[in-house]
Amino acid sequence: DKIIIGPITYPLFLGSTSGYLNQNSFESHAKLLYDLLTSKRLFKNGFIINSLYDYKGERQSLSVGYAENKVYKIGIIPYNRKENERLVFKVLEWKLNKGDRVTIPIGNKKDQTPMFFIYAGLVIGVLMGIFLGVDKKLKNDCLRSLNRSYNFFVDVRDRRIMTNFRLFFLSFLIASISSLLILNILYFYRNNNLLDKLALAFGRFELFDFIFYAAWNPEKSFWILIFIQSFSVLLVAILIYIISLIKNARTEFDSIYFGLNWALVPIMMFLPLGMALFKMLDIVKYNYIIFGVLALLVLWLLQRALKAIYIMLYEAPIKVYAAFLILLLFALIPILFYLNYTEELFEFVKIAIMSSTF
């Protein structure tokens, strides 16, 4: 019988574990090949074995794991060509050379939930409890910003609510909780084949490098994500301040910046979700409900941010909403059509959706 070394792949991002109960481990790879080679039906029809070696690509891959050297761990033999490093090679060697049968341990199923989500959530929760418990005024301001947002944003604009360094800590809590939520989602979909293909469809690999890095390294990317979000709020505040100068609205920059931060206060209520979201997403049948709730949260935050903006600019709400939609369309449409012209984006997105499993 002839064996063809073919392109069927099995991602090995979990590495060596206690046994084959852990998917995407060296042991589960060996068990998969063992079952393949001992199948009588398969010998009748012929079969294809996994790729022989690991490969090094031009980009990071979401579905096979993030590696600094861009090596895709999918082979029977690792990239360094050390044959005995993986159990699957011994299984193949046993079948080809009729040697001793290989024992593959069953092991215990490993919980892949990063404890970082729980520890970080606990630290944030303790800090939030201490800070809001000590500073009663800040706590009352948070409640008022939720219950009477219009009047509250007017008071912020007219400087009747003086917010100082305390709000910087509040903005840190907001960025921390939103980072936890984002990292939970990225980590859950860290080896999703469809998302990998959609990223490939854009043809700009460098745009997704940090997303892939964050998906596979939540602990290391947590602080980076906090900085990105804080800097983004600052940039939006600067843009709104420039518009206010053009319109002669006479709104102070700190009022605009603090107003945008107060608009994001509702996300603090979702700290428990930030600690448990990964485990909840494991219950796949409830994912539509979970993402529905998160979508409503995003819309709520966007509505509050736009409300803060039109109050700061003394503008009618309809004008700000319309301007936001126009800016969004003018920003997205040219980019999408440019990518479609240079990379055939729409066609590759269609292929990615049709060829992926959900």
Side-chain angles (χ1 to χ4, degrees), residues 128 132 138-147 149 152-153 167 170-171 173-175 177 258-271 297 300-301 304-305:
M128 186 165 60
L132 295 181
L138 183 62
K139 179 181 178 181
N140 293 332
D141 286 343
C142 288
L143 293 173
R144 186 163 172 254
S145 73
L146 292 172
N147 299 326
S149 59
F152 184 82
F153 289 140
L167 191 63
L170 189 69
S171 65
L173 293 177
I174 292 170
I177 296 169
F258 291 143
L260 289 175
N261 278 285
W262 282 114
L264 303 176
V265 162
I267 205 168
M268 295 174 64
M269 298 186 295
F270 287 78
L271 175 59
L297 172 63
W300 187 17
L301 295 175
R304 284 174 57 87

Side-chain angles (χ1 to χ4, degrees), residues 68-280:
E68 294 290 345
N69 55 2
K70 299 179 183 177
V71 170
Y72 307 151
K73 294 182 180 179
I74 56 176
I76 292 169
I77 299 175
Y79 189 71
N80 59 17
R81 302 301 194 262
K82 293 182 180 179
E83 296 177 350
N84 294 321
E85 193 169 294
R86 292 179 185 170
L87 190 59
V88 66
F89 177 79
K90 296 179 181 179
V91 173
L92 182 60
E93 190 178 37
W94 156 73
K95 185 62 183 179
L96 292 176
N97 298 332
K98 308 298 182 182
D100 295 332
R101 190 177 291 268
V102 179
T103 301
I104 306 171
I106 299 176
N108 300 312
K109 191 171 180 61
K110 180 182 179 182
D111 185 6
Q112 298 187 39
T113 306
M115 294 304 294
F116 169 77
F117 293 148
I118 299 174
Y119 293 149
L122 288 174
V123 172
I124 295 169
V126 170
L127 291 176
M128 186 165 60
I130 293 173
F131 198 69
L132 295 181
V134 172
D135 196 334
K136 299 294 183 182
K137 184 179 185 306
L138 183 62
K139 179 181 178 181
N140 293 332
D141 286 343
C142 288
L143 293 173
R144 186 163 172 254
S145 73
L146 292 172
N147 299 326
R148 303 180 62 188
S149 59
Y150 184 90
N151 293 335
F152 184 82
F153 289 140
V154 170
D155 288 344
V156 172
R157 180 195 65 191
D158 297 340
R159 306 178 71 80
R160 286 193 289 267
I161 295 179
M162 297 303 294
T163 51
N164 48 30
F165 71 93
R166 298 173 303 168
L167 191 63
F168 288 107
F169 183 76
L170 189 69
S171 65
F172 167 74
L173 293 177
I174 292 170
S176 300
I177 296 169
S178 61
S179 297
L180 272 185
L181 291 171
I182 293 170
L183 290 172
N184 268 272
I185 296 172
L186 289 177
Y187 190 77
F188 181 77
Y189 289 107
R190 67 192 184 284
N191 61 329
N192 186 274
N193 186 258
L194 174 59
L195 294 181
D196 203 9
K197 291 181 179 179
L198 289 176
L200 184 61
F202 280 83
R204 298 289 190 274
F205 308 144
E206 61 278 1
L207 297 177
F208 297 91
D209 274 354
F210 176 72
I211 296 176
F212 290 0
Y213 177 81
W216 284 97
N217 301 277
E219 300 92 343
K220 296 178 181 178
S221 55
F222 178 68
W223 294 103
I224 300 174
L225 204 55
I226 289 176
F227 173 78
I228 291 173
Q229 292 181 87
S230 302
F231 187 67
S232 299
V233 173
L234 181 62
L235 283 181
V236 173
I238 293 173
L239 177 62
I240 301 304
Y241 180 63
I242 292 172
I243 295 174
S244 72
L245 292 177
I246 296 172
K247 290 179 56 59
N248 199 25
R250 296 181 180 179
T251 305
E252 298 293 336
F253 173 76
D254 59 344
S255 297
I256 296 173
Y257 176 71
F258 291 143
L260 289 175
N261 278 285
W262 282 114
L264 303 176
V265 162
I267 205 168
M268 295 174 64
M269 298 186 295
F270 287 78
L271 175 59
L273 185 62
M275 299 170 63
L277 183 57
F278 178 80
K279 296 295 289 184
M280 294 172 67

Side-chain angles (χ1 to χ4, degrees), residues 33-90:
L33 186 60
Y34 179 86
D35 292 342
L36 177 74
L37 295 176
T38 55
S39 172
K40 294 181 180 179
R41 180 182 174 186
L42 206 58
F43 271 110
K44 285 184 179 180
N45 302 322
F47 59 91
I48 300 174
I49 296 179
N50 190 21
S51 300
L52 183 60
Y53 299 108
D54 288 346
Y55 291 100
K56 190 172 185 179
E58 296 180 357
R59 69 178 187 98
Q60 296 292 350
S61 175
L62 192 65
S63 56
V64 299
Y66 185 93
E68 294 290 345
N69 55 2
K70 299 179 183 177
V71 170
Y72 307 151
K73 294 182 180 179
I74 56 176
I76 292 169
I77 299 175
Y79 189 71
N80 59 17
R81 302 301 194 262
K82 293 182 180 179
E83 296 177 350
N84 294 321
E85 193 169 294
R86 292 179 185 170
L87 190 59
V88 66
F89 177 79
K90 296 179 181 179

